Amino acid sequence: MKVLVSDIGGTNARFAMAELGRGAVLLHDSVREYPAAGFASAADAARHFLDELGERADAAVFAVAGRVRLEEASITNHPWQIRTSEIGAALDTSRVALINDFTAQAMAISRLRADDVVAIGAVGWPGFDPRGAQTFAVIGPGTGLGVGGLLVRDGRCFPLETEGGHAGFAPSRPQDLRILECLMRRFGRVSCERLVSGPGLVNLYASVCEVEGVAAESLSPAQINTRAASGDGHCQQAVELFCAAFGSMAGDLVLTLGAWDGVFLAGGVVPKLLDSLQTCGFREAFEAKGRFSAGMAEVPSLAVVHACAGLLGAAAHAAETYDHCVVPVFAHLAPQPVADSLGG
């Protein structure tokens, strides 16, 4: 059975083919990435993908950056409305599954190898063990902020679908309060996503400039990151605030889910900020949980550097849904170029 798998965010849409029952489930030469703005709908993008490859799909799994309800979903940061009926009509199949993108990221945890992750801080990951009871969290900035979890019980994986990125931001330092005041004047209620995302980094930079009483330049997330690395003080403050807020949110998620086996940092922003995450206060904020600080110090925080973890998780979901089998490790996918933007 050939399955189209997709990972659709607010900026880009990724597609690949999976062939269930084969040793290499994801076909390494089939991965494509398109700007979502280039298509009227997800169905159009999927049809274009299949036409480009000269393929057909017996089934499809769409992992989307938005809440899924009654076989429909809206992309939170893009105008697409996605319905399984429309996808099925475009692909000529009735077997279409629509899942949250962080359901896919959670499912991918069971397929990640040691070299697919980088530990942030001194605590490493002992690896995935399906034989035991494990609880993981997953959080990732991109165009928005995705949040999910994975429960492993009796050899089965149960992903948790959430919209935790829209929970309210909780400041924990005096500088956080000043930034929060700036963001409240602009947005009213301030969610975590307003800080920890590609656009969130821009919000932080603008807020830093407002606090300092200087005019903010019109900079992209990638430009802010580049300038921070070159020594620009305002951009450095924005990146430090981003990493500390990210660490604090990831730690809160561990406490909320009881994810003592680890939190995975996913999404397109993470690989581009690896050095900053190691040095700019992420782990300090992650562990700073009062009476639970000692326990938090033992929890791994792991940056996912796998080229296409969302597609990997969508394939894992496809295997459980359509093939009732375990998806083999995604070992042969060559990394594909991605957009040079922290908002991907």
CSV table of all heavy atoms in Angstrom, one decimal, residues 17-84:
chain,number,residue,atom,x,y,z
A,17,MET,N,6.1,10.0,0.1
A,17,MET,CA,5.4,8.7,0.0
A,17,MET,C,5.9,7.7,1.0
A,17,MET,O,7.1,7.6,1.2
A,17,MET,CB,5.5,8.2,-1.4
A,17,MET,CG,4.9,9.1,-2.5
A,17,MET,SD,3.1,9.3,-2.3
A,17,MET,CE,2.5,7.6,-2.5
A,18,ALA,N,5.0,6.9,1.5
A,18,ALA,CA,5.4,5.8,2.4
A,18,ALA,C,4.8,4.5,1.8
A,18,ALA,O,3.7,4.5,1.3
A,18,ALA,CB,4.9,6.0,3.8
A,19,GLU,N,5.6,3.4,1.7
A,19,GLU,CA,5.1,2.2,1.2
A,19,GLU,C,5.1,1.2,2.4
A,19,GLU,O,6.1,0.7,2.8
A,19,GLU,CB,5.9,1.7,0.1
A,19,GLU,CG,5.3,0.5,-0.6
A,19,GLU,CD,5.9,0.2,-2.0
A,19,GLU,OE1,6.6,1.1,-2.5
A,19,GLU,OE2,5.8,-0.9,-2.5
A,20,LEU,N,3.9,0.9,2.9
A,20,LEU,CA,3.8,0.1,4.1
A,20,LEU,C,4.1,-1.4,3.7
A,20,LEU,O,3.8,-1.8,2.6
A,20,LEU,CB,2.4,0.1,4.6
A,20,LEU,CG,1.9,1.5,5.0
A,20,LEU,CD1,0.6,1.5,5.8
A,20,LEU,CD2,2.9,2.2,5.9
A,21,GLY,N,4.7,-2.1,4.6
A,21,GLY,CA,5.1,-3.5,4.4
A,21,GLY,C,6.5,-3.6,3.9
A,21,GLY,O,7.0,-4.8,3.7
A,22,ARG,N,7.1,-2.5,3.5
A,22,ARG,CA,8.5,-2.6,3.1
A,22,ARG,C,9.5,-2.3,4.2
A,22,ARG,O,9.1,-1.6,5.2
A,22,ARG,CB,8.7,-1.6,1.9
A,22,ARG,CG,8.0,-2.1,0.6
A,22,ARG,CD,8.4,-1.1,-0.5
A,22,ARG,NE,9.8,-0.9,-0.6
A,22,ARG,CZ,10.4,-0.2,-1.6
A,22,ARG,NH1,9.7,0.4,-2.5
A,22,ARG,NH2,11.7,-0.1,-1.6
A,23,GLY,N,10.7,-2.7,4.0
A,23,GLY,CA,11.7,-2.4,5.1
A,23,GLY,C,12.0,-0.9,5.2
A,23,GLY,O,12.1,-0.4,6.3
A,24,ALA,N,12.0,-0.1,4.1
A,24,ALA,CA,12.2,1.3,4.2
A,24,ALA,C,10.9,1.9,3.9
A,24,ALA,O,10.4,2.1,2.7
A,24,ALA,CB,13.2,1.8,3.1
A,25,VAL,N,10.1,2.3,4.9
A,25,VAL,CA,8.8,2.8,4.8
A,25,VAL,C,8.7,4.1,4.0
A,25,VAL,O,7.9,4.2,3.0
A,25,VAL,CB,8.1,2.9,6.1
A,25,VAL,CG1,6.7,3.6,6.0
A,25,VAL,CG2,7.9,1.5,6.8
A,26,LEU,N,9.5,5.1,4.4
A,26,LEU,CA,9.4,6.3,3.7
A,26,LEU,C,10.4,6.3,2.5
A,26,LEU,O,11.6,5.9,2.6
A,26,LEU,CB,9.8,7.4,4.6
A,26,LEU,CG,8.7,7.9,5.5
A,26,LEU,CD1,9.2,8.6,6.7
A,26,LEU,CD2,7.7,8.8,4.8
A,27,LEU,N,9.9,6.6,1.3
A,27,LEU,CA,10.7,6.6,0.1
A,27,LEU,C,11.6,7.8,0.1
A,27,LEU,O,11.1,8.9,-0.1
A,27,LEU,CB,9.8,6.5,-1.1
A,27,LEU,CG,8.8,5.3,-1.1
A,27,LEU,CD1,8.0,5.3,-2.4
A,27,LEU,CD2,9.5,4.0,-0.9
A,28,HIS,N,12.9,7.6,0.2
A,28,HIS,CA,13.8,8.7,0.5
A,28,HIS,C,13.9,9.7,-0.6
A,28,HIS,O,14.2,10.9,-0.4
A,28,HIS,CB,15.2,8.2,0.8
A,28,HIS,CG,15.9,7.6,-0.4
A,28,HIS,ND1,15.7,6.4,-0.9
A,28,HIS,CD2,16.8,8.2,-1.3
A,28,HIS,CE1,16.4,6.2,-2.0
A,28,HIS,NE2,17.1,7.3,-2.2
A,29,ASP,N,13.6,9.3,-1.8
A,29,ASP,CA,13.7,10.3,-2.9
A,29,ASP,C,12.3,11.0,-3.2
A,29,ASP,O,12.2,11.7,-4.2
A,29,ASP,CB,14.1,9.6,-4.2
A,29,ASP,CG,13.2,8.4,-4.6
A,29,ASP,OD1,12.4,8.0,-3.8
A,29,ASP,OD2,13.4,7.9,-5.7
A,30,SER,N,11.3,10.8,-2.4
A,30,SER,CA,10.0,11.4,-2.7
A,30,SER,C,9.8,12.7,-1.9
A,30,SER,O,8.7,13.3,-2.1
A,30,SER,CB,8.9,10.4,-2.3
A,30,SER,OG,8.8,10.1,-1.0
A,31,VAL,N,10.6,13.0,-0.9
A,31,VAL,CA,10.3,14.2,-0.1
A,31,VAL,C,10.3,15.5,-0.9
A,31,VAL,O,11.3,15.7,-1.6
A,31,VAL,CB,11.3,14.3,1.1
A,31,VAL,CG1,11.1,15.5,1.9
A,31,VAL,CG2,11.3,13.0,2.0
A,32,ARG,N,9.3,16.2,-0.7
A,32,ARG,CA,9.2,17.6,-1.3
A,32,ARG,C,8.7,18.6,-0.3
A,32,ARG,O,7.9,18.2,0.6
A,32,ARG,CB,8.2,17.5,-2.5
A,32,ARG,CG,8.6,16.6,-3.6
A,32,ARG,CD,9.8,17.1,-4.4
A,32,ARG,NE,10.1,16.2,-5.6
A,32,ARG,CZ,10.7,15.1,-5.6
A,32,ARG,NH1,11.2,14.6,-4.4
A,32,ARG,NH2,10.9,14.4,-6.7
A,33,GLU,N,9.1,19.8,-0.5
A,33,GLU,CA,8.6,20.9,0.4
A,33,GLU,C,8.2,22.0,-0.5
A,33,GLU,O,8.9,22.5,-1.4
A,33,GLU,CB,9.7,21.3,1.4
A,33,GLU,CG,9.2,22.5,2.3
A,33,GLU,CD,10.3,22.8,3.4
A,33,GLU,OE1,10.4,22.0,4.3
A,33,GLU,OE2,10.9,23.8,3.3
A,34,TYR,N,7.0,22.6,-0.2
A,34,TYR,CA,6.4,23.7,-1.0
A,34,TYR,C,6.0,24.8,0.0
A,34,TYR,O,5.5,24.6,1.1
A,34,TYR,CB,5.2,23.3,-1.8
A,34,TYR,CG,5.4,22.0,-2.6
A,34,TYR,CD1,4.8,20.8,-2.2
A,34,TYR,CD2,6.2,22.0,-3.8
A,34,TYR,CE1,4.9,19.7,-3.0
A,34,TYR,CE2,6.3,20.9,-4.5
A,34,TYR,CZ,5.7,19.7,-4.1
A,34,TYR,OH,5.8,18.6,-4.9
A,35,PRO,N,6.1,26.1,-0.5
A,35,PRO,CA,5.5,27.2,0.3
A,35,PRO,C,4.0,27.1,0.3
A,35,PRO,O,3.4,26.9,-0.8
A,35,PRO,CB,6.0,28.4,-0.4
A,35,PRO,CG,6.4,28.0,-1.8
A,35,PRO,CD,6.8,26.6,-1.7
A,36,ALA,N,3.4,27.1,1.4
A,36,ALA,CA,1.9,26.9,1.5
A,36,ALA,C,1.2,28.0,0.7
A,36,ALA,O,0.1,27.8,0.1
A,36,ALA,CB,1.4,26.9,2.9
A,37,ALA,N,1.8,29.2,0.7
A,37,ALA,CA,1.2,30.3,0.0
A,37,ALA,C,1.1,30.1,-1.5
A,37,ALA,O,0.3,30.8,-2.2
A,37,ALA,CB,1.9,31.6,0.3
A,38,GLY,N,1.8,29.1,-2.0
A,38,GLY,CA,1.7,28.9,-3.5
A,38,GLY,C,0.6,28.1,-3.9
A,38,GLY,O,0.4,27.8,-5.2
A,39,PHE,N,-0.3,27.6,-3.0
A,39,PHE,CA,-1.4,26.8,-3.4
A,39,PHE,C,-2.7,27.3,-2.7
A,39,PHE,O,-2.7,27.8,-1.6
A,39,PHE,CB,-1.2,25.3,-3.0
A,39,PHE,CG,0.0,24.7,-3.7
A,39,PHE,CD1,1.3,24.8,-3.1
A,39,PHE,CD2,-0.1,24.1,-4.9
A,39,PHE,CE1,2.4,24.3,-3.7
A,39,PHE,CE2,1.0,23.6,-5.5
A,39,PHE,CZ,2.3,23.7,-4.9
A,40,ALA,N,-3.8,27.1,-3.4
A,40,ALA,CA,-5.1,27.5,-2.9
A,40,ALA,C,-5.6,26.7,-1.7
A,40,ALA,O,-6.3,27.1,-0.9
A,40,ALA,CB,-6.2,27.5,-4.0
A,41,SER,N,-5.2,25.4,-1.7
A,41,SER,CA,-5.6,24.5,-0.6
A,41,SER,C,-4.6,23.4,-0.4
A,41,SER,O,-3.7,23.2,-1.3
A,41,SER,CB,-7.0,23.9,-1.0
A,41,SER,OG,-6.8,23.0,-2.1
A,42,ALA,N,-4.7,22.7,0.7
A,42,ALA,CA,-3.9,21.5,0.9
A,42,ALA,C,-4.1,20.4,-0.1
A,42,ALA,O,-3.2,19.7,-0.5
A,42,ALA,CB,-4.1,21.0,2.4
A,43,ALA,N,-5.4,20.3,-0.5
A,43,ALA,CA,-5.7,19.3,-1.5
A,43,ALA,C,-4.9,19.6,-2.9
A,43,ALA,O,-4.4,18.7,-3.5
A,43,ALA,CB,-7.2,19.2,-1.8
A,44,ASP,N,-4.9,20.9,-3.2
A,44,ASP,CA,-4.2,21.3,-4.4
A,44,ASP,C,-2.7,21.0,-4.3
A,44,ASP,O,-2.1,20.5,-5.3
A,44,ASP,CB,-4.4,22.8,-4.7
A,44,ASP,CG,-5.8,23.1,-5.2
A,44,ASP,OD1,-6.5,22.2,-5.6
A,44,ASP,OD2,-6.1,24.3,-5.2
A,45,ALA,N,-2.1,21.3,-3.2
A,45,ALA,CA,-0.7,21.0,-2.9
A,45,ALA,C,-0.4,19.5,-3.0
A,45,ALA,O,0.6,19.1,-3.6
A,45,ALA,CB,-0.2,21.6,-1.6
A,46,ALA,N,-1.3,18.7,-2.4
A,46,ALA,CA,-1.1,17.2,-2.5
A,46,ALA,C,-1.2,16.7,-3.9
A,46,ALA,O,-0.4,15.8,-4.3
A,46,ALA,CB,-2.1,16.6,-1.5
A,47,ARG,N,-2.2,17.2,-4.6
A,47,ARG,CA,-2.4,16.8,-6.0
A,47,ARG,C,-1.1,17.1,-6.8
A,47,ARG,O,-0.7,16.3,-7.7
A,47,ARG,CB,-3.6,17.4,-6.6
A,47,ARG,CG,-4.1,17.0,-8.0
A,47,ARG,CD,-4.5,15.5,-7.9
A,47,ARG,NE,-3.5,14.6,-8.4
A,47,ARG,CZ,-3.6,13.3,-8.3
A,47,ARG,NH1,-4.7,12.7,-7.7
A,47,ARG,NH2,-2.6,12.5,-8.7
A,48,HIS,N,-0.6,18.3,-6.6
A,48,HIS,CA,0.6,18.8,-7.3
A,48,HIS,C,1.8,17.9,-7.0
A,48,HIS,O,2.5,17.5,-7.9
A,48,HIS,CB,0.9,20.2,-6.9
A,48,HIS,CG,2.2,20.7,-7.5
A,48,HIS,ND1,2.3,21.2,-8.8
A,48,HIS,CD2,3.5,20.8,-7.0
A,48,HIS,CE1,3.6,21.6,-9.0
A,48,HIS,NE2,4.3,21.3,-7.9
A,49,PHE,N,1.9,17.5,-5.7
A,49,PHE,CA,3.0,16.6,-5.3
A,49,PHE,C,2.9,15.2,-6.1
A,49,PHE,O,3.9,14.8,-6.6
A,49,PHE,CB,2.9,16.4,-3.8
A,49,PHE,CG,3.7,15.2,-3.3
A,49,PHE,CD1,5.1,15.3,-3.2
A,49,PHE,CD2,3.1,14.0,-2.9
A,49,PHE,CE1,5.8,14.2,-2.7
A,49,PHE,CE2,3.8,13.0,-2.4
A,49,PHE,CZ,5.2,13.1,-2.3
A,50,LEU,N,1.7,14.7,-6.1
A,50,LEU,CA,1.5,13.4,-6.7
A,50,LEU,C,1.8,13.5,-8.2
A,50,LEU,O,2.4,12.6,-8.9
A,50,LEU,CB,0.2,12.8,-6.5
A,50,LEU,CG,-0.1,12.3,-5.1
A,50,LEU,CD1,-1.6,11.8,-4.9
A,50,LEU,CD2,0.8,11.2,-4.6
A,51,ASP,N,1.3,14.6,-8.8
A,51,ASP,CA,1.5,14.7,-10.3
A,51,ASP,C,3.0,14.9,-10.6
A,51,ASP,O,3.5,14.4,-11.6
A,51,ASP,CB,0.7,15.9,-10.8
A,51,ASP,CG,-0.8,15.7,-10.8
A,51,ASP,OD1,-1.2,14.5,-10.7
A,51,ASP,OD2,-1.5,16.7,-10.8
A,52,GLU,N,3.7,15.6,-9.7
A,52,GLU,CA,5.1,15.8,-9.9
A,52,GLU,C,5.9,14.5,-9.9
A,52,GLU,O,6.9,14.3,-10.6
A,52,GLU,CB,5.7,16.8,-8.9
A,52,GLU,CG,7.1,17.3,-9.1
A,52,GLU,CD,7.5,18.3,-8.1
A,52,GLU,OE1,7.3,19.5,-8.4
A,52,GLU,OE2,8.0,18.0,-7.0
A,53,LEU,N,5.5,13.6,-9.0
A,53,LEU,CA,6.2,12.4,-8.9
A,53,LEU,C,5.6,11.3,-9.8
A,53,LEU,O,6.3,10.3,-10.0
A,53,LEU,CB,6.0,11.8,-7.4
A,53,LEU,CG,7.2,12.1,-6.5
A,53,LEU,CD1,7.3,13.6,-6.2
A,53,LEU,CD2,7.0,11.4,-5.1
A,54,GLY,N,4.5,11.6,-10.4
A,54,GLY,CA,3.8,10.5,-11.2
A,54,GLY,C,3.4,9.4,-10.4
A,54,GLY,O,3.4,8.2,-10.9
A,55,GLU,N,2.9,9.7,-9.2
A,55,GLU,CA,2.4,8.6,-8.3
A,55,GLU,C,0.9,8.7,-8.0
A,55,GLU,O,0.3,9.7,-8.4
A,55,GLU,CB,3.2,8.8,-6.9
A,55,GLU,CG,4.6,8.4,-6.9
A,55,GLU,CD,4.8,6.9,-6.8
A,55,GLU,OE1,3.8,6.2,-6.8
A,55,GLU,OE2,6.0,6.5,-6.6
A,56,ARG,N,0.4,7.7,-7.4
A,56,ARG,CA,-0.9,7.7,-6.8
A,56,ARG,C,-0.9,7.2,-5.4
A,56,ARG,O,0.1,6.4,-5.0
A,56,ARG,CB,-1.9,6.8,-7.7
A,56,ARG,CG,-1.7,5.3,-7.6
A,56,ARG,CD,-2.8,4.6,-8.3
A,56,ARG,NE,-4.1,4.9,-7.7
A,56,ARG,CZ,-4.6,4.4,-6.6
A,56,ARG,NH1,-3.9,3.5,-5.9
A,56,ARG,NH2,-5.8,4.7,-6.2
A,57,ALA,N,-1.8,7.5,-4.6
A,57,ALA,CA,-1.8,7.2,-3.2
A,57,ALA,C,-3.1,6.3,-2.9
A,57,ALA,O,-4.2,6.7,-3.3
A,57,ALA,CB,-1.8,8.4,-2.3
A,58,ASP,N,-2.9,5.2,-2.2
A,58,ASP,CA,-4.0,4.4,-1.7
A,58,ASP,C,-4.6,5.0,-0.4
A,58,ASP,O,-5.8,4.7,-0.1
A,58,ASP,CB,-3.5,3.0,-1.4
A,58,ASP,CG,-2.9,2.3,-2.7
A,58,ASP,OD1,-3.6,2.3,-3.7
A,58,ASP,OD2,-1.7,1.9,-2.6
A,59,ALA,N,-3.8,5.7,0.3
A,59,ALA,CA,-4.3,6.3,1.5
A,59,ALA,C,-3.4,7.6,1.8
A,59,ALA,O,-2.4,7.8,1.1
A,59,ALA,CB,-4.2,5.3,2.7
A,60,ALA,N,-3.8,8.4,2.8
A,60,ALA,CA,-3.1,9.6,3.1
A,60,ALA,C,-3.2,9.9,4.6
A,60,ALA,O,-4.2,9.6,5.3
A,60,ALA,CB,-3.6,10.8,2.3
A,61,VAL,N,-2.1,10.4,5.2
A,61,VAL,CA,-2.1,11.0,6.5
A,61,VAL,C,-1.6,12.4,6.4
A,61,VAL,O,-0.5,12.7,6.0
A,61,VAL,CB,-1.2,10.2,7.5
A,61,VAL,CG1,-1.1,10.9,8.8
A,61,VAL,CG2,-1.7,8.8,7.6
A,62,PHE,N,-2.4,13.4,6.9
A,62,PHE,CA,-2.1,14.8,6.9
A,62,PHE,C,-1.9,15.2,8.3
A,62,PHE,O,-2.8,15.2,9.1
A,62,PHE,CB,-3.2,15.6,6.2
A,62,PHE,CG,-3.1,15.7,4.7
A,62,PHE,CD1,-3.2,14.6,4.0
A,62,PHE,CD2,-2.9,16.9,4.1
A,62,PHE,CE1,-3.1,14.6,2.6
A,62,PHE,CE2,-2.8,17.0,2.7
A,62,PHE,CZ,-2.9,15.9,2.0
A,63,ALA,N,-0.7,15.6,8.6
A,63,ALA,CA,-0.4,16.2,9.9
A,63,ALA,C,-0.4,17.7,9.8
A,63,ALA,O,0.4,18.3,9.0
A,63,ALA,CB,1.0,15.7,10.4
A,64,VAL,N,-1.3,18.4,10.5
A,64,VAL,CA,-1.5,19.8,10.2
A,64,VAL,C,-1.3,20.6,11.5
A,64,VAL,O,-1.6,20.2,12.6
A,64,VAL,CB,-2.9,20.1,9.6
A,64,VAL,CG1,-3.0,19.3,8.3
A,64,VAL,CG2,-4.0,19.7,10.6
A,65,ALA,N,-0.8,21.9,11.3
A,65,ALA,CA,-0.6,22.8,12.5
A,65,ALA,C,-1.9,23.5,12.8
A,65,ALA,O,-2.1,24.7,12.6
A,65,ALA,CB,0.5,23.8,12.1
A,66,GLY,N,-2.8,22.7,13.5
A,66,GLY,CA,-4.0,23.3,13.9
A,66,GLY,C,-4.9,22.2,14.6
A,66,GLY,O,-4.5,21.0,14.6
A,67,ARG,N,-5.9,22.6,15.2
A,67,ARG,CA,-6.8,21.7,15.9
A,67,ARG,C,-7.6,20.9,15.0
A,67,ARG,O,-8.2,21.5,14.0
A,67,ARG,CB,-7.7,22.4,16.9
A,67,ARG,CG,-8.5,21.5,17.8
A,67,ARG,CD,-9.4,22.3,18.7
A,67,ARG,NE,-10.2,21.3,19.6
A,67,ARG,CZ,-11.3,21.7,20.3
A,67,ARG,NH1,-11.6,23.0,20.3
A,67,ARG,NH2,-11.9,20.8,21.0
A,68,VAL,N,-7.7,19.6,15.1
A,68,VAL,CA,-8.5,18.7,14.3
A,68,VAL,C,-9.8,18.4,15.0
A,68,VAL,O,-9.8,17.9,16.1
A,68,VAL,CB,-7.7,17.4,14.0
A,68,VAL,CG1,-8.6,16.5,13.1
A,68,VAL,CG2,-6.4,17.7,13.3
A,69,ARG,N,-10.9,18.7,14.3
A,69,ARG,CA,-12.2,18.4,14.9
A,69,ARG,C,-13.1,17.9,13.8
A,69,ARG,O,-13.3,18.5,12.7
A,69,ARG,CB,-12.9,19.6,15.5
A,69,ARG,CG,-12.1,20.2,16.7
A,69,ARG,CD,-12.9,21.3,17.3
A,69,ARG,NE,-14.2,20.8,17.9
A,69,ARG,CZ,-15.1,21.6,18.4
A,69,ARG,NH1,-15.0,22.9,18.3
A,69,ARG,NH2,-16.2,21.1,19.0
A,70,LEU,N,-13.7,16.7,14.0
A,70,LEU,CA,-14.7,16.1,13.1
A,70,LEU,C,-14.2,16.1,11.7
A,70,LEU,O,-14.9,16.5,10.7
A,70,LEU,CB,-16.0,16.9,13.2
A,70,LEU,CG,-16.7,17.0,14.6
A,70,LEU,CD1,-17.9,17.9,14.5
A,70,LEU,CD2,-17.1,15.6,15.1
A,71,GLU,N,-13.0,15.6,11.5
A,71,GLU,CA,-12.4,15.4,10.2
A,71,GLU,C,-12.2,16.7,9.5
A,71,GLU,O,-12.1,16.7,8.2
A,71,GLU,CB,-13.2,14.4,9.4
A,71,GLU,CG,-13.2,13.0,10.0
A,71,GLU,CD,-13.9,12.0,9.1
A,71,GLU,OE1,-14.7,12.4,8.2
A,71,GLU,OE2,-13.6,10.8,9.3
A,72,GLU,N,-12.0,17.8,10.2
A,72,GLU,CA,-11.7,19.1,9.6
A,72,GLU,C,-10.7,19.8,10.5
A,72,GLU,O,-10.5,19.5,11.7
A,72,GLU,CB,-13.0,20.0,9.6
A,72,GLU,CG,-14.0,19.5,8.6
A,72,GLU,CD,-15.2,20.5,8.5
A,72,GLU,OE1,-15.1,21.6,9.1
A,72,GLU,OE2,-16.2,20.1,7.9
A,73,ALA,N,-9.9,20.7,9.9
A,73,ALA,CA,-8.9,21.4,10.6
A,73,ALA,C,-8.7,22.7,9.9
A,73,ALA,O,-8.8,22.9,8.7
A,73,ALA,CB,-7.6,20.6,10.7
A,74,SER,N,-8.4,23.8,10.7
A,74,SER,CA,-7.9,25.0,10.2
A,74,SER,C,-6.5,25.2,10.6
A,74,SER,O,-6.1,25.0,11.8
A,74,SER,CB,-8.7,26.2,10.8
A,74,SER,OG,-10.1,26.0,10.5
A,75,ILE,N,-5.6,25.7,9.7
A,75,ILE,CA,-4.2,26.0,10.0
A,75,ILE,C,-4.2,27.3,10.8
A,75,ILE,O,-4.8,28.3,10.3
A,75,ILE,CB,-3.4,26.1,8.7
A,75,ILE,CG1,-3.5,24.9,7.9
A,75,ILE,CG2,-1.9,26.4,9.1
A,75,ILE,CD1,-3.0,23.6,8.5
A,76,THR,N,-3.7,27.2,12.0
A,76,THR,CA,-3.7,28.4,12.9
A,76,THR,C,-3.1,29.6,12.3
A,76,THR,O,-3.6,30.7,12.5
A,76,THR,CB,-3.1,28.0,14.2
A,76,THR,OG1,-3.7,26.9,14.8
A,76,THR,CG2,-3.2,29.2,15.2
A,77,ASN,N,-2.0,29.5,11.6
A,77,ASN,CA,-1.3,30.6,11.1
A,77,ASN,C,-1.3,30.7,9.5
A,77,ASN,O,-0.4,31.2,8.9
A,77,ASN,CB,0.1,30.7,11.6
A,77,ASN,CG,0.2,30.9,13.1
A,77,ASN,OD1,-0.2,32.0,13.6
A,77,ASN,ND2,0.6,29.9,13.8
A,78,HIS,N,-2.4,30.1,8.9
A,78,HIS,CA,-2.5,30.1,7.5
A,78,HIS,C,-4.0,29.9,7.1
A,78,HIS,O,-4.7,29.3,7.9
A,78,HIS,CB,-1.7,29.0,6.8
A,78,HIS,CG,-1.6,29.1,5.3
A,78,HIS,ND1,-0.8,30.0,4.7
A,78,HIS,CD2,-2.3,28.4,4.4
A,78,HIS,CE1,-1.0,29.8,3.4
A,78,HIS,NE2,-1.8,28.9,3.2
A,79,PRO,N,-4.5,30.5,6.0
A,79,PRO,CA,-5.9,30.5,5.8
A,79,PRO,C,-6.5,29.1,5.3
A,79,PRO,O,-7.7,29.0,5.1
A,79,PRO,CB,-6.1,31.6,4.7
A,79,PRO,CG,-4.8,31.7,4.1
A,79,PRO,CD,-3.8,31.5,5.1
A,80,TRP,N,-5.7,28.1,5.1
A,80,TRP,CA,-6.2,26.9,4.6
A,80,TRP,C,-7.2,26.3,5.6
A,80,TRP,O,-7.0,26.2,6.8
A,80,TRP,CB,-5.1,25.8,4.4
A,80,TRP,CG,-4.3,26.0,3.1
A,80,TRP,CD1,-4.6,26.8,2.1
A,80,TRP,CD2,-3.2,25.2,2.8
A,80,TRP,NE1,-3.6,26.7,1.1
A,80,TRP,CE2,-2.8,25.7,1.5
A,80,TRP,CE3,-2.4,24.2,3.4
A,80,TRP,CZ2,-1.7,25.2,0.8
A,80,TRP,CZ3,-1.3,23.7,2.7
A,80,TRP,CH2,-1.0,24.2,1.5
A,81,GLN,N,-8.3,25.8,5.1
A,81,GLN,CA,-9.3,24.9,5.8
A,81,GLN,C,-9.1,23.5,5.2
A,81,GLN,O,-9.3,23.4,3.9
A,81,GLN,CB,-10.7,25.4,5.6
A,81,GLN,CG,-11.0,26.8,6.0
A,81,GLN,CD,-11.0,26.9,7.5
A,81,GLN,OE1,-11.6,26.1,8.2
A,81,GLN,NE2,-10.5,28.0,8.1
A,82,ILE,N,-8.9,22.5,6.0
A,82,ILE,CA,-8.6,21.2,5.5
A,82,ILE,C,-9.7,20.2,5.9
A,82,ILE,O,-10.0,20.1,7.1
A,82,ILE,CB,-7.2,20.7,6.0
A,82,ILE,CG1,-6.1,21.7,5.5
A,82,ILE,CG2,-6.9,19.3,5.5
A,82,ILE,CD1,-4.7,21.3,6.0
A,83,ARG,N,-10.2,19.5,4.9
A,83,ARG,CA,-11.3,18.5,5.2
A,83,ARG,C,-10.9,17.2,4.6
A,83,ARG,O,-10.4,17.2,3.4
A,83,ARG,CB,-12.6,19.0,4.6
A,83,ARG,CG,-13.1,20.3,5.3
A,83,ARG,CD,-14.4,20.8,4.6
A,83,ARG,NE,-14.9,22.0,5.2
A,83,ARG,CZ,-14.4,23.3,4.9
A,83,ARG,NH1,-13.5,23.4,3.9
A,83,ARG,NH2,-14.9,24.3,5.5
A,84,THR,N,-11.1,16.1,5.3
A,84,THR,CA,-10.8,14.8,4.8
A,84,THR,C,-11.5,14.5,3.5
A,84,THR,O,-11.0,13.9,2.6
A,84,THR,CB,-11.0,13.7,5.8
A,84,THR,OG1,-12.4,13.8,6.2
A,84,THR,CG2,-10.1,13.9,7.0
